[in-house]
Amino acid sequence: MACLPGREAEFRAGIVEAIAYAQALQAPRIHVMAGLVPPSQARETLHATYVDNLRVAARLAAPHGLQVLIEPINARDMPGYFLNRQDEAHALVNAIGVPNVQVQMDLSHCQIVEGDLATKIRQYVPTGRVGHVQIAGVPARHEPDTGEVNYPYLFQLLDDLGYAGWIGCEYRPARGAVAGGTSDGLGWLPRERSQRAPS
């Protein structure tokens, strides 16, 4: 709800609660979702509300050492979502100008909206403003070893650029969804690790 005018008090209360959960779980980041664009609402008003709310979230989170993450999400999976592109997200982070507001770079969303993932990674990771990376297969958001994205290449690029954070997996498992369960759905991970093991 971060971009929605008139809900600022509710947003602040939600951030306070999220901080309490993050402290209890020892989680270093809070993902602040922009929200869906309401009908007949001026984008400029939504943008101003979003920036103000992110500044509030950053100020509340900073004393606890917490990062606030914003994530561009593709309009196919979430129609009407306010934030869709990496350049928009990074412009917001730069405008807010505090170190604990960063971008959650979901490469699946980025591929669907913009493509050219290696160039985007080279452009944004060295800025230090990418706080977290997420992956999923494209186009169906299944396991990352399915679909059109060459993740081993991108993992190596992230390593080469010095990205030291976690890479999160956010996908709908296709393998293991019926019979094999979670272990089958994670079968791609040992294969990926073995391919990357030092010789």
Side-chain angles (χ1 to χ4, degrees):
M1 74 180 77
C3 77
L4 303 181
R7 298 183 67 180
E8 291 86 352
E10 187 180 354
F11 173 82
R12 182 187 175 100
I15 291 295
V16 170
E17 186 173 12
I19 289 169
Y21 277 108
Q23 289 179 290
L25 296 168
Q26 298 181 354
R29 297 170 191 86
I30 296 172
H31 179 193
V32 176
M33 297 191 74
L36 302 179
V37 174
S40 306
Q41 185 70 254
R43 190 161 181 89
E44 295 78 16
T45 303
L46 299 172
H47 183 275
T49 303
Y50 192 31
V51 168
D52 288 347
N53 277 335
L54 287 172
R55 286 187 171 132
V56 167
R59 188 171 62 250
L60 292 171
H64 308 286
L66 296 171
Q67 292 178 344
V68 170
L69 299 181
I70 61 172
E71 178 186 16
I73 297 177
N74 79 77
R76 185 176 73 203
D77 288 337
M78 193 173 289
Y81 193 71
F82 178 75
L83 183 64
N84 306 121
R85 298 179 53 85
Q86 292 295 314
D87 55 355
E88 295 170 346
H90 284 272
L92 280 162
V93 167
N94 289 335
I96 292 165
V98 295
N100 70 323
V101 177
Q102 296 188 319
V103 176
Q104 180 165 300
M105 190 175 196
D106 187 309
L107 297 179
S108 173
H109 292 308
C110 187
Q111 171 68 5
I112 291 168
V113 176
E114 304 170 69
D116 204 11
L117 292 177
T119 299
K120 298 292 184 301
I121 289 170
R122 287 189 189 99
Q123 180 178 359
Y124 294 121
V125 166
T127 68
R129 293 295 198 181
V130 175
H132 186 58
V133 172
Q134 284 187 171
I135 61 171
V138 179
R141 205 162 183 90
H142 293 317
E143 288 82 352
D145 65 338
T146 62
E148 65 194 35
V149 177
N150 182 357
Y151 279 115
Y153 170 78
L154 297 177
F155 293 158
Q156 187 60 57
L157 178 58
L158 287 164
D159 283 348
D160 292 346
L161 292 171
Y163 175 74
W166 291 95
I167 296 176
C169 300
E170 185 183 62
Y171 60 86
R172 296 182 289 266
R175 295 188 294 269
V178 178
T182 301
S183 295
D184 284 354
L186 292 173
W188 64 273
L189 186 56
R191 291 191 297 275
E192 167 60 27
R193 285 182 171 162
S194 69
Q195 292 171 4
R196 295 170 56 77
S199 54

